[in-house]
Amino acid sequence: GGIWTDASDRAAKKNFTPVETRTILERVARLPVTIWNYKTEDPSLRHIGPVAQDFHAAFAVGADDKHIAALDGNGVALAAIQGLNQKVEEQRAENAELKRRLAQLEQLVIKLSTKRGQP
């Protein structure tokens, strides 16, 4: 047993650039994810994930298009979660506005029905 840790101290990093989380989410949604095994493994041992070439083409991170660093996979996943959360919050606000407008229309229909002598 053991754990792998990546250095992540702000002091060890430079050239910070914000990411567009919705763009990351869109790219994740298009990223092919398959179940597979390494050629050197028994076929019964399965893994799930993208291939490095697709990941590199989508996100242009990492040392090359032959490897996916866990740090980059985690970062992409977190950015996509933030993008999804942003999308959910926007839809929640839109739904609340639509409910408010529907309630106003229902009140108007009741008012108009009452004026015309209909219950």
Side-chain angles (χ1 to χ4, degrees), residues 101-116:
R101 291 175 63 193
L102 178 60
Q104 287 178 334
L105 287 173
E106 287 171 339
Q107 290 301 315
L108 181 58
V109 167
I110 290 169
K111 199 181 280 189
L112 290 172
S113 296
T114 304
K115 282 185 178 182
R116 297 181 80 187

Side-chain angles (χ1 to χ4, degrees), residues 78-115:
L78 289 170
I81 290 167
Q82 289 180 350
L84 183 58
N85 183 65
Q86 180 184 17
K87 190 173 182 176
V88 167
E89 291 300 322
E90 288 170 2
Q91 289 177 344
R92 186 174 288 145
E94 182 181 350
N95 286 345
E97 173 62 14
L98 289 172
K99 285 179 182 179
R100 184 191 66 75
R101 291 175 63 193
L102 178 60
Q104 287 178 334
L105 287 173
E106 287 171 339
Q107 290 301 315
L108 181 58
V109 167
I110 290 169
K111 199 181 280 189
L112 290 172
S113 296
T114 304
K115 282 185 178 182

Side-chain angles (χ1 to χ4, degrees), residues 12 31 37 105:
L31 185 66
N37 65 280
L105 287 173

